[in-house]
Amino acid sequence: MNEDREVLKLVGARIRALRKERGYSQESLGEKGGFHFSYIGQIERGEKNVSLVNLAKIAESLDVNLIQLFAYVDEDFHSTESEVVIQEIVGMLRDTSPHNIQLTKNVIREILKGT
């Protein structure tokens, strides 16, 4: 049972670290994911055994891949420079219009034709 709690604490600590990196409060992260801020706090403290569906919502709210929630704070997990840039691009695209997303897709397609 202690091992179960340890996993919950590690994942919770990772969520807390990612949230703070982005400058989000528990309340703002909760709002983005559709959760109450107290639920986010319980997850971060390892008190809640959060479902995979809710973890996916939290990852999306943090603009990270789900797998990044399992890159424990104690371990050396580093995204490649390309992965970081791709995540930044995805974040920018989430905040723009469908028209701009299509334009971006067309530009990328043209750039990649030459490679």
Side-chain angles (χ1 to χ4, degrees), residues 31-79:
E31 286 175 8
K32 284 187 80 164
F35 306 110
H36 193 273
F37 74 91
S38 64
Y39 181 68
I40 298 296
Q42 290 171 326
I43 293 168
E44 289 183 355
R45 291 187 300 274
E47 297 170 0
K48 283 284 183 191
N49 190 355
V50 61
S51 74
L52 188 55
V53 171
N54 285 348
L55 283 175
K57 289 178 185 178
I58 291 169
E60 183 178 337
S61 298
L62 291 168
D63 290 322
V64 297
N65 295 320
L66 182 60
I67 190 71
Q68 289 178 278
L69 297 185
F70 298 96
Y72 300 139
V73 175
D74 297 345
E75 295 180 7
D76 289 332
F77 177 82
H78 300 286
S79 296

Short mmCIF file of all heavy atoms in Angstrom, two decimals, residues 31-79:
data_model
loop_
_atom_site.label_atom_id
_atom_site.label_comp_id
_atom_site.label_asym_id
_atom_site.label_seq_id
_atom_site.Cartn_x
_atom_site.Cartn_y
_atom_site.Cartn_z
N GLU A 31 -9.88 25.26 -13.31
CA GLU A 31 -10.82 25.85 -14.25
C GLU A 31 -10.57 25.36 -15.67
O GLU A 31 -11.50 25.05 -16.41
CB GLU A 31 -10.74 27.37 -14.19
CG GLU A 31 -11.38 27.96 -12.96
CD GLU A 31 -11.19 29.47 -12.86
OE1 GLU A 31 -10.69 30.10 -13.82
OE2 GLU A 31 -11.54 30.01 -11.79
N LYS A 32 -9.29 25.29 -16.06
CA LYS A 32 -8.95 24.83 -17.41
C LYS A 32 -9.39 23.39 -17.64
O LYS A 32 -9.81 23.03 -18.73
CB LYS A 32 -7.44 24.95 -17.65
CG LYS A 32 -6.95 26.35 -17.92
CD LYS A 32 -5.50 26.36 -18.32
CE LYS A 32 -5.42 26.00 -19.78
NZ LYS A 32 -4.19 26.28 -20.45
N GLY A 33 -9.26 22.56 -16.61
CA GLY A 33 -9.57 21.14 -16.75
C GLY A 33 -10.97 20.76 -16.34
O GLY A 33 -11.40 19.62 -16.52
N GLY A 34 -11.71 21.71 -15.75
CA GLY A 34 -13.06 21.42 -15.30
C GLY A 34 -13.12 20.77 -13.93
O GLY A 34 -14.04 19.99 -13.64
N PHE A 35 -12.13 21.08 -13.08
CA PHE A 35 -12.05 20.49 -11.74
C PHE A 35 -12.10 21.59 -10.69
O PHE A 35 -11.70 22.72 -10.94
CB PHE A 35 -10.74 19.71 -11.56
CG PHE A 35 -10.50 18.66 -12.59
CD1 PHE A 35 -9.50 18.81 -13.53
CD2 PHE A 35 -11.26 17.50 -12.62
CE1 PHE A 35 -9.26 17.84 -14.48
CE2 PHE A 35 -11.04 16.52 -13.58
CZ PHE A 35 -10.04 16.69 -14.51
N HIS A 36 -12.51 21.22 -9.48
CA HIS A 36 -12.45 22.14 -8.35
C HIS A 36 -10.99 22.23 -7.90
O HIS A 36 -10.26 21.23 -7.93
CB HIS A 36 -13.34 21.62 -7.21
CG HIS A 36 -13.57 22.63 -6.15
ND1 HIS A 36 -12.71 22.80 -5.10
CD2 HIS A 36 -14.57 23.56 -6.00
CE1 HIS A 36 -13.17 23.77 -4.32
NE2 HIS A 36 -14.30 24.25 -4.85
N PHE A 37 -10.57 23.43 -7.47
CA PHE A 37 -9.17 23.61 -7.07
C PHE A 37 -8.77 22.68 -5.93
O PHE A 37 -7.62 22.25 -5.85
CB PHE A 37 -8.88 25.07 -6.70
CG PHE A 37 -9.46 25.50 -5.39
CD1 PHE A 37 -8.71 25.38 -4.22
CD2 PHE A 37 -10.74 26.04 -5.31
CE1 PHE A 37 -9.24 25.78 -3.01
CE2 PHE A 37 -11.27 26.45 -4.10
CZ PHE A 37 -10.52 26.31 -2.94
N SER A 38 -9.72 22.33 -5.06
CA SER A 38 -9.37 21.45 -3.94
C SER A 38 -9.03 20.04 -4.45
O SER A 38 -8.19 19.35 -3.86
CB SER A 38 -10.48 21.40 -2.90
OG SER A 38 -11.65 20.83 -3.45
N TYR A 39 -9.66 19.63 -5.54
CA TYR A 39 -9.36 18.32 -6.15
C TYR A 39 -7.93 18.33 -6.70
O TYR A 39 -7.18 17.37 -6.51
CB TYR A 39 -10.37 18.02 -7.26
CG TYR A 39 -10.17 16.70 -7.95
CD1 TYR A 39 -10.38 15.49 -7.29
CD2 TYR A 39 -9.81 16.65 -9.30
CE1 TYR A 39 -10.21 14.28 -7.94
CE2 TYR A 39 -9.65 15.44 -9.95
CZ TYR A 39 -9.85 14.26 -9.27
OH TYR A 39 -9.69 13.06 -9.91
N ILE A 40 -7.54 19.43 -7.33
CA ILE A 40 -6.16 19.56 -7.84
C ILE A 40 -5.19 19.46 -6.67
O ILE A 40 -4.17 18.75 -6.75
CB ILE A 40 -5.97 20.89 -8.60
CG1 ILE A 40 -6.88 20.97 -9.84
CG2 ILE A 40 -4.50 21.09 -8.99
CD1 ILE A 40 -6.60 19.95 -10.92
N GLY A 41 -5.49 20.12 -5.57
CA GLY A 41 -4.63 20.06 -4.39
C GLY A 41 -4.50 18.64 -3.84
O GLY A 41 -3.40 18.21 -3.47
N GLN A 42 -5.61 17.92 -3.81
CA GLN A 42 -5.58 16.53 -3.32
C GLN A 42 -4.73 15.65 -4.24
O GLN A 42 -3.99 14.79 -3.77
CB GLN A 42 -7.00 15.97 -3.23
CG GLN A 42 -7.80 16.60 -2.11
CD GLN A 42 -9.27 16.20 -2.16
OE1 GLN A 42 -9.85 16.01 -3.22
NE2 GLN A 42 -9.87 16.04 -0.98
N ILE A 43 -4.83 15.88 -5.53
CA ILE A 43 -4.01 15.11 -6.48
C ILE A 43 -2.53 15.43 -6.25
O ILE A 43 -1.69 14.53 -6.18
CB ILE A 43 -4.42 15.41 -7.94
CG1 ILE A 43 -5.82 14.88 -8.22
CG2 ILE A 43 -3.41 14.81 -8.92
CD1 ILE A 43 -6.42 15.37 -9.53
N GLU A 44 -2.22 16.71 -6.15
CA GLU A 44 -0.83 17.13 -5.98
C GLU A 44 -0.22 16.59 -4.69
O GLU A 44 0.98 16.32 -4.64
CB GLU A 44 -0.72 18.66 -6.02
CG GLU A 44 -0.95 19.23 -7.40
CD GLU A 44 -0.78 20.74 -7.45
OE1 GLU A 44 -0.56 21.38 -6.40
OE2 GLU A 44 -0.88 21.29 -8.57
N ARG A 45 -1.01 16.42 -3.67
CA ARG A 45 -0.51 15.88 -2.40
C ARG A 45 -0.52 14.35 -2.36
O ARG A 45 -0.10 13.75 -1.38
CB ARG A 45 -1.34 16.44 -1.24
CG ARG A 45 -1.15 17.92 -0.99
CD ARG A 45 -1.85 18.40 0.26
NE ARG A 45 -3.29 18.19 0.24
CZ ARG A 45 -4.19 19.02 -0.29
NH1 ARG A 45 -3.78 20.12 -0.88
NH2 ARG A 45 -5.47 18.73 -0.26
N GLY A 46 -0.99 13.73 -3.44
CA GLY A 46 -1.04 12.27 -3.49
C GLY A 46 -2.16 11.67 -2.68
O GLY A 46 -2.10 10.51 -2.29
N GLU A 47 -3.20 12.45 -2.40
CA GLU A 47 -4.31 11.98 -1.59
C GLU A 47 -5.42 11.32 -2.42
O GLU A 47 -6.23 10.59 -1.89
CB GLU A 47 -4.91 13.15 -0.80
CG GLU A 47 -3.94 13.75 0.19
CD GLU A 47 -4.43 15.06 0.80
OE1 GLU A 47 -5.53 15.52 0.47
OE2 GLU A 47 -3.69 15.62 1.62
N LYS A 48 -5.46 11.62 -3.71
CA LYS A 48 -6.50 11.09 -4.59
C LYS A 48 -5.88 10.13 -5.61
O LYS A 48 -4.85 10.43 -6.20
CB LYS A 48 -7.20 12.21 -5.37
CG LYS A 48 -8.20 12.98 -4.56
CD LYS A 48 -9.46 12.18 -4.40
CE LYS A 48 -10.51 12.99 -3.66
NZ LYS A 48 -11.63 12.20 -3.24
N ASN A 49 -6.54 9.01 -5.81
CA ASN A 49 -6.14 8.08 -6.86
C ASN A 49 -6.90 8.50 -8.12
O ASN A 49 -8.01 8.07 -8.37
CB ASN A 49 -6.48 6.65 -6.46
CG ASN A 49 -5.88 5.63 -7.39
OD1 ASN A 49 -5.28 5.98 -8.41
ND2 ASN A 49 -6.04 4.37 -7.06
N VAL A 50 -6.29 9.39 -8.87
CA VAL A 50 -6.93 10.05 -10.00
C VAL A 50 -7.05 9.10 -11.18
O VAL A 50 -6.18 8.27 -11.42
CB VAL A 50 -6.14 11.33 -10.37
CG1 VAL A 50 -4.73 11.01 -10.77
CG2 VAL A 50 -6.83 12.13 -11.44
N SER A 51 -8.16 9.21 -11.92
CA SER A 51 -8.39 8.33 -13.07
C SER A 51 -7.51 8.75 -14.25
O SER A 51 -7.05 9.89 -14.34
CB SER A 51 -9.86 8.38 -13.49
OG SER A 51 -10.15 9.60 -14.14
N LEU A 52 -7.32 7.83 -15.14
CA LEU A 52 -6.54 8.10 -16.35
C LEU A 52 -7.21 9.18 -17.19
O LEU A 52 -6.53 10.05 -17.75
CB LEU A 52 -6.38 6.80 -17.16
CG LEU A 52 -5.45 6.86 -18.36
CD1 LEU A 52 -4.07 7.34 -17.96
CD2 LEU A 52 -5.36 5.48 -19.00
N VAL A 53 -8.53 9.17 -17.26
CA VAL A 53 -9.26 10.20 -18.01
C VAL A 53 -8.98 11.58 -17.42
O VAL A 53 -8.70 12.54 -18.15
CB VAL A 53 -10.77 9.89 -18.01
CG1 VAL A 53 -11.57 11.05 -18.59
CG2 VAL A 53 -11.06 8.60 -18.79
N ASN A 54 -9.02 11.68 -16.10
CA ASN A 54 -8.75 12.97 -15.46
C ASN A 54 -7.29 13.38 -15.62
O ASN A 54 -6.99 14.56 -15.77
CB ASN A 54 -9.16 12.96 -13.99
CG ASN A 54 -10.67 13.03 -13.83
OD1 ASN A 54 -11.40 13.31 -14.78
ND2 ASN A 54 -11.15 12.76 -12.64
N LEU A 55 -6.37 12.42 -15.60
CA LEU A 55 -4.97 12.73 -15.85
C LEU A 55 -4.79 13.29 -17.25
O LEU A 55 -4.02 14.22 -17.47
CB LEU A 55 -4.08 11.50 -15.65
CG LEU A 55 -3.79 11.11 -14.21
CD1 LEU A 55 -3.00 9.80 -14.17
CD2 LEU A 55 -3.02 12.21 -13.49
N ALA A 56 -5.50 12.72 -18.22
CA ALA A 56 -5.42 13.21 -19.60
C ALA A 56 -5.94 14.64 -19.69
O ALA A 56 -5.36 15.48 -20.38
CB ALA A 56 -6.21 12.29 -20.53
N LYS A 57 -7.00 14.96 -18.96
CA LYS A 57 -7.54 16.33 -18.94
C LYS A 57 -6.53 17.29 -18.30
O LYS A 57 -6.35 18.41 -18.77
CB LYS A 57 -8.86 16.38 -18.17
CG LYS A 57 -10.02 15.72 -18.90
CD LYS A 57 -11.28 15.78 -18.05
CE LYS A 57 -12.42 15.02 -18.69
NZ LYS A 57 -13.63 15.03 -17.85
N ILE A 58 -5.89 16.85 -17.24
CA ILE A 58 -4.89 17.68 -16.57
C ILE A 58 -3.70 17.91 -17.50
O ILE A 58 -3.21 19.04 -17.63
CB ILE A 58 -4.45 17.05 -15.23
CG1 ILE A 58 -5.61 17.13 -14.22
CG2 ILE A 58 -3.21 17.74 -14.68
CD1 ILE A 58 -5.39 16.30 -12.96
N ALA A 59 -3.24 16.86 -18.17
CA ALA A 59 -2.13 16.99 -19.11
C ALA A 59 -2.48 17.99 -20.21
O ALA A 59 -1.67 18.87 -20.55
CB ALA A 59 -1.77 15.63 -19.71
N GLU A 60 -3.68 17.87 -20.75
CA GLU A 60 -4.11 18.81 -21.80
C GLU A 60 -4.15 20.24 -21.27
O GLU A 60 -3.71 21.17 -21.94
CB GLU A 60 -5.49 18.41 -22.32
CG GLU A 60 -5.97 19.28 -23.47
CD GLU A 60 -7.31 18.85 -24.02
OE1 GLU A 60 -7.69 17.67 -23.86
OE2 GLU A 60 -7.97 19.71 -24.62
N SER A 61 -4.62 20.41 -20.05
CA SER A 61 -4.68 21.74 -19.44
C SER A 61 -3.30 22.32 -19.23
O SER A 61 -3.12 23.54 -19.23
CB SER A 61 -5.43 21.68 -18.10
OG SER A 61 -6.76 21.25 -18.30
N LEU A 62 -2.32 21.45 -19.02
CA LEU A 62 -0.93 21.89 -18.82
C LEU A 62 -0.16 21.98 -20.13
O LEU A 62 1.02 22.33 -20.14
CB LEU A 62 -0.21 20.92 -17.86
CG LEU A 62 -0.67 20.95 -16.41
CD1 LEU A 62 -0.11 19.76 -15.65
CD2 LEU A 62 -0.27 22.26 -15.74
N ASP A 63 -0.81 21.62 -21.24
CA ASP A 63 -0.17 21.60 -22.57
C ASP A 63 1.04 20.67 -22.60
O ASP A 63 2.09 21.03 -23.13
CB ASP A 63 0.23 23.01 -23.01
CG ASP A 63 -0.97 23.88 -23.33
OD1 ASP A 63 -1.94 23.36 -23.89
OD2 ASP A 63 -0.92 25.08 -23.01
N VAL A 64 0.88 19.49 -22.02
CA VAL A 64 1.94 18.48 -22.08
C VAL A 64 1.33 17.16 -22.55
O VAL A 64 0.12 16.97 -22.53
CB VAL A 64 2.63 18.25 -20.70
CG1 VAL A 64 3.31 19.52 -20.24
CG2 VAL A 64 1.66 17.74 -19.66
N ASN A 65 2.19 16.27 -23.00
CA ASN A 65 1.75 14.92 -23.32
C ASN A 65 1.49 14.17 -22.02
O ASN A 65 2.17 14.39 -21.02
CB ASN A 65 2.83 14.17 -24.12
CG ASN A 65 3.07 14.79 -25.47
OD1 ASN A 65 2.13 15.21 -26.14
ND2 ASN A 65 4.32 14.86 -25.87
N LEU A 66 0.54 13.27 -22.05
CA LEU A 66 0.19 12.49 -20.86
C LEU A 66 1.42 11.83 -20.25
O LEU A 66 1.58 11.82 -19.03
CB LEU A 66 -0.87 11.45 -21.23
CG LEU A 66 -1.40 10.57 -20.10
CD1 LEU A 66 -2.05 11.40 -19.01
CD2 LEU A 66 -2.39 9.57 -20.65
N ILE A 67 2.30 11.32 -21.08
CA ILE A 67 3.49 10.62 -20.58
C ILE A 67 4.34 11.53 -19.69
O ILE A 67 5.00 11.06 -18.77
CB ILE A 67 4.33 10.04 -21.75
CG1 ILE A 67 5.41 9.11 -21.25
CG2 ILE A 67 4.95 11.14 -22.59
CD1 ILE A 67 4.91 7.82 -20.71
N GLN A 68 4.29 12.83 -19.94
CA GLN A 68 5.11 13.75 -19.15
C GLN A 68 4.66 13.85 -17.70
O GLN A 68 5.44 14.26 -16.84
CB GLN A 68 5.16 15.12 -19.82
CG GLN A 68 5.98 15.09 -21.10
CD GLN A 68 6.00 16.42 -21.79
OE1 GLN A 68 5.08 16.76 -22.51
NE2 GLN A 68 7.05 17.18 -21.56
N LEU A 69 3.43 13.45 -17.42
CA LEU A 69 2.97 13.44 -16.03
C LEU A 69 3.63 12.31 -15.24
O LEU A 69 3.64 12.33 -14.02
CB LEU A 69 1.45 13.29 -15.94
CG LEU A 69 0.61 14.40 -16.56
CD1 LEU A 69 -0.87 14.15 -16.29
CD2 LEU A 69 1.02 15.77 -16.06
N PHE A 70 4.17 11.34 -15.95
CA PHE A 70 4.80 10.19 -15.30
C PHE A 70 6.32 10.31 -15.26
O PHE A 70 6.99 9.40 -14.83
CB PHE A 70 4.37 8.89 -15.98
CG PHE A 70 2.89 8.67 -15.88
CD1 PHE A 70 2.05 9.03 -16.92
CD2 PHE A 70 2.33 8.14 -14.74
CE1 PHE A 70 0.68 8.86 -16.82
CE2 PHE A 70 0.97 7.96 -14.63
CZ PHE A 70 0.13 8.31 -15.67
N ALA A 71 6.82 11.43 -15.74
CA ALA A 71 8.25 11.70 -15.64
C ALA A 71 8.47 12.32 -14.26
O ALA A 71 8.34 13.51 -14.08
CB ALA A 71 8.68 12.66 -16.75
N TYR A 72 8.71 11.47 -13.32
CA TYR A 72 8.77 11.89 -11.92
C TYR A 72 9.82 12.95 -11.68
O TYR A 72 10.86 12.96 -12.30
CB TYR A 72 9.03 10.68 -11.01
CG TYR A 72 7.98 9.62 -11.12
CD1 TYR A 72 8.32 8.29 -11.14
CD2 TYR A 72 6.63 9.94 -11.21
CE1 TYR A 72 7.36 7.30 -11.25
CE2 TYR A 72 5.66 8.97 -11.31
CZ TYR A 72 6.03 7.64 -11.33
OH TYR A 72 5.07 6.68 -11.44
N VAL A 73 9.50 13.80 -10.75
CA VAL A 73 10.37 14.93 -10.42
C VAL A 73 11.77 14.44 -10.02
O VAL A 73 12.76 15.08 -10.34
CB VAL A 73 9.75 15.76 -9.28
CG1 VAL A 73 10.68 16.87 -8.83
CG2 VAL A 73 8.41 16.33 -9.71
N ASP A 74 11.84 13.30 -9.37
CA ASP A 74 13.12 12.79 -8.88
C ASP A 74 14.00 12.22 -9.99
O ASP A 74 15.18 12.00 -9.79
CB ASP A 74 12.90 11.69 -7.84
CG ASP A 74 12.18 12.22 -6.61
OD1 ASP A 74 12.12 13.45 -6.44
OD2 ASP A 74 11.68 11.40 -5.83
N GLU A 75 13.42 11.97 -11.16
CA GLU A 75 14.17 11.37 -12.24
C GLU A 75 14.61 12.43 -13.23
O GLU A 75 14.02 13.49 -13.33
CB GLU A 75 13.32 10.31 -12.96
CG GLU A 75 12.99 9.14 -12.07
CD GLU A 75 12.15 8.09 -12.79
OE1 GLU A 75 11.95 8.21 -14.00
OE2 GLU A 75 11.70 7.17 -12.12
N ASP A 76 15.65 12.12 -13.99
CA ASP A 76 16.11 13.04 -15.02
C ASP A 76 15.29 12.82 -16.28
O ASP A 76 15.58 11.92 -17.07
CB ASP A 76 17.59 12.81 -15.33
CG ASP A 76 18.48 13.27 -14.20
OD1 ASP A 76 18.07 14.19 -13.48
OD2 ASP A 76 19.57 12.71 -14.04
N PHE A 77 14.26 13.60 -16.46
CA PHE A 77 13.45 13.54 -17.67
C PHE A 77 13.63 14.85 -18.39
O PHE A 77 13.37 15.91 -17.84
CB PHE A 77 11.96 13.34 -17.35
CG PHE A 77 11.10 13.35 -18.58
CD1 PHE A 77 10.97 12.21 -19.35
CD2 PHE A 77 10.45 14.50 -18.97
CE1 PHE A 77 10.19 12.22 -20.49
CE2 PHE A 77 9.67 14.51 -20.11
CZ PHE A 77 9.53 13.37 -20.87
N HIS A 78 14.11 14.77 -19.60
CA HIS A 78 14.30 15.97 -20.38
C HIS A 78 13.65 15.79 -21.74
O HIS A 78 13.90 14.81 -22.42
CB HIS A 78 15.78 16.27 -20.57
CG HIS A 78 16.51 16.46 -19.28
ND1 HIS A 78 16.38 17.60 -18.52
CD2 HIS A 78 17.35 15.66 -18.60
CE1 HIS A 78 17.12 17.49 -17.43
NE2 HIS A 78 17.72 16.32 -17.45
N SER A 79 12.81 16.75 -22.09
CA SER A 79 12.26 16.76 -23.43
C SER A 79 13.37 17.21 -24.36
O SER A 79 14.22 18.02 -23.99
CB SER A 79 11.10 17.74 -23.53
OG SER A 79 10.04 17.34 -22.71
#
